Amino acid sequence: MRRTVYGPEHEAFRASVRTFLDKEVGAHRREWDEAGLPPREFFNRAGEIGILGLGIPEAYGGGEAEFLFNAVVTEEAAHAGYALGPLRIHADICVPYFVHHANDEQKARWLPGLASGELVAALALTEPGAGSDLAGIATTARRDGDHYVVNGSKTFITGGLNADLFVTAAKTDPTQRHAGLSLLVIEAGAAGLSRGAPLEKIGLHGQEAVEIFFDDVRVPAGDLLGDEGAGFTYLTSNLPQERMSIAINAQSAAASVVEQTVTYVNGRKAFGKSLGTFQNTKFVLAGCATEVEAGQALLDQALIAHRDGELTPADAAKVKLFCTEMQGRVVDECLQLFGGYGYMSEYPVARAWTDARVGRIYGGSSEIMKTIIAKELGL
Ligand SMILES: Cc1cc2nc3c(=O)[nH]c(=O)nc-3n(C[C@H](O)[C@H](O)[C@H](O)COP(=O)(O)OP(=O)(O)OC[C@H]3O[C@@H](n4cnc5c(N)ncnc54)[C@H](O)[C@@H]3O)c2cc1C
């Protein structure tokens, strides 16, 4: 079905993003995979073409663009099968924390660098002992004069090796759960902060997820984002956009895999006929195409609601739940149609399959999405 969410300005932008990604990511994919992360300079080049600071006001060097432009970047990257998690974490997820919760002095200090790529941001919430239960984190930030002293550790932090700034959740009042949580911006070079080697993952090989350790890290009190104790509220208001970003990625990746599979089954022969002539192949792909269409309709409606400031946390949870679960079903069915080749790493469908799995886990698992939706139902 024809999509109506985007206008000519988004499509013109899409064309330039596609060219950029093919040149800067596609051409170097093997190197990224082998290194386990993108080179730091990639972010400078992404900053130059303006895709790091789309949500940053023009006064601070950003594009002051609506989220639909970020969505275009994610769609293009996911359609090509590129793992651009660190860029999405920076642009879709971290930038809003700075734009909405930093004071004027902090904005002047950080936003220009975040737009240009001089500064790369990552989000440090999850800990070895607490992922879904964010209010249960154990990292502490104890006030000591005009500093906070941070102790604890984080894990699975996407983009953690290239990041210059970590938007970090810490307990400023460890006796409280939600009300004790604050957000601090911590510089990667701070004394006492160390990072582990990239964790070995089953997919998303071209992007890193790392552990971070805080050992008496002294953070200036002026690097607190917003109010002390308001961290959980900020997370709640920003997580819907994070979930949209994950849903867009899942949706576009699923659509791309269906396209690739149609091409494959038309070219591959078995029993003297093309695979595409078997009724099973037709039915499976017809079902997948319908699932993708349903996801697109839901997602596009949510993109409009988000643009209009009407997307609720439960809406975002429904979209993430549906699109990531749909991606899992569709990619698995498509892989089957590739036969043994679907299990070979050099085939994009194999990569799409391993990359897809985490969509149902990170940014809030499917079970947590259901918890949020059930709450809206009054359960
Ligand atoms: C590749 C990757 C990248 C990531 N990037 C980042 C990042 O950049 N920054 C960051 O902060 N985090 C990141 N994460 C962490 C991610 O968000 C968490 O893994 C996720 O929120 C789940 O937390 P957990 O792993 O601790 O699982 P747990 O919270 O231990 O959950 C384990 C299982 O229990 C279920 N469960 C938990 N609570 C409930 C409940 N109340 N009801 C029903 N079921 C429940 C979960 O759904 C899950 O199936 C990343 C993770 C991965 C794998």
Side-chain angles (χ1 to χ4, degrees):
M1 276 175 266
R2 189 167 66 85
R3 299 180 69 191
T4 54
V5 63
Y6 295 117
E9 66 282 18
H10 303 109
E11 297 308 333
F13 176 69
R14 183 188 298 282
S16 66
V17 168
R18 187 175 298 169
T19 307
F20 171 80
L21 293 179
D22 287 346
K23 180 165 166 260
E24 297 294 342
V25 187
H28 307 285
R29 210 156 133 170
R30 195 175 283 273
E31 296 147 48
W32 288 32
D33 279 1
E34 283 169 7
L37 75 171
R40 177 62 180 79
E41 309 80 63
F42 166 72
F43 294 94
N44 299 88
R45 288 194 280 278
E48 275 166 29
I49 72 146
I51 58 175
L52 286 188
L54 287 164
I56 293 177
E58 281 180 7
Y60 296 104
E64 203 164 329
E66 58 188 358
F67 180 70
L68 284 174
F69 286 90
N70 295 54
V72 166
V73 177
T74 299
E75 285 186 6
E76 285 305 308
H79 193 270
Y82 303 148
L84 277 196
L87 186 142
R88 282 175 30 230
I89 292 270
H90 172 103
D92 296 4
I93 297 163
C94 287
V95 158
Y97 286 102
F98 290 92
V99 170
H100 297 135
H101 308 299
N103 59 35
D104 288 346
E105 181 276 322
Q106 292 172 331
K107 283 182 179 166
R109 192 151 46 101
W110 289 320
L111 288 181
L114 290 168
S116 70
E118 192 193 321
L119 295 175
V120 173
L123 186 67
L125 307 180
T126 306
E127 303 187 350
S132 303
D133 178 18
L134 278 179
I137 62 166
T139 295
T140 53
R142 176 178 52 82
R143 188 69 187 249
D144 180 25
D146 54 3
H147 282 78
Y148 289 97
V149 181
V150 179
N151 280 289
S153 65
K154 300 286 173 181
T155 193
F156 304 143
I157 306 309
T158 298
L161 286 185
N162 277 322
D164 304 288
L165 300 176
F166 293 102
V167 176
T168 310
K171 283 279 175 76
T172 40
D173 182 353
T175 65
Q176 301 288 317
R177 272 176 57 82
H178 302 84
L181 206 145
S182 301
L183 295 183
L184 289 165
V185 177
I186 306 184
E187 293 182 6
L193 186 154
S194 57
R195 304 182 253 201
L199 296 164
E200 284 191 24
K201 308 188 265 23
I202 60 169
L204 295 175
H205 294 302
Q207 67 182 60
E208 81 278 29
V210 299
E211 290 173 294
I212 305 174
F213 306 96
F214 305 100
D215 183 10
D216 280 336
V217 178
R218 292 187 71 79
V219 180
D223 291 356
L224 175 77
L225 267 189
D227 296 325
E228 207 178 274
F232 201 84
T233 313
Y234 302 153
L235 291 174
T236 311
S237 65
N238 282 288
L239 281 173
Q241 181 158 307
E242 172 168 357
R243 287 168 186 158
M244 286 295 287
S245 180
I246 295 169
I248 296 160
N249 187 70
Q251 175 64 34
S252 185
S256 174
V257 165
V258 173
E259 290 164 25
Q260 292 165 34
T261 310
V262 169
T263 305
Y264 182 79
V265 298
N266 279 328
R268 173 84 178 166
K269 287 202 162 40
F271 298 95
K273 292 197 253 175
S274 117
L275 289 184
T277 62
F278 297 130
Q279 190 183 49
N280 177 65
T281 307
K282 292 179 188 182
F283 281 13
V284 166
L285 281 169
C288 288
T290 306
E291 288 231 57
V292 165
E293 201 76 66
Q296 198 68 72
L298 179 66
L299 178 64
D300 284 359
Q301 196 61 34
L303 280 168
I304 292 167
H306 187 47
R307 179 196 65 195
D308 297 344
E310 293 170 0
L311 190 80
T312 67
D315 292 336
K318 288 173 191 164
V319 180
K320 180 186 185 278
L321 175 66
F322 186 86
C323 291
T324 58
E325 293 282 341
M326 177 276 290
Q327 177 194 23
R329 290 191 297 272
V330 164
V331 175
D332 192 69
E333 296 251 48
C334 285
L335 186 147
Q336 185 72 14
L337 293 175
F338 278 75
Y341 297 97
Y343 199 67
M344 297 298 119
S345 303
E346 67 179 285
Y347 274 72
V349 71
R351 193 187 169 103
W353 190 72
T354 47
D355 287 358
R357 189 61 186 86
V358 75
R360 288 179 264 166
I361 297 169
Y362 65 13
S365 64
S366 288
E367 293 73 28
I368 294 302
M369 296 306 100
K370 287 177 186 169
T371 306
I372 295 169
I373 298 161
K375 208 169 178 183
E376 190 203 34
L377 295 173
L379 299 170

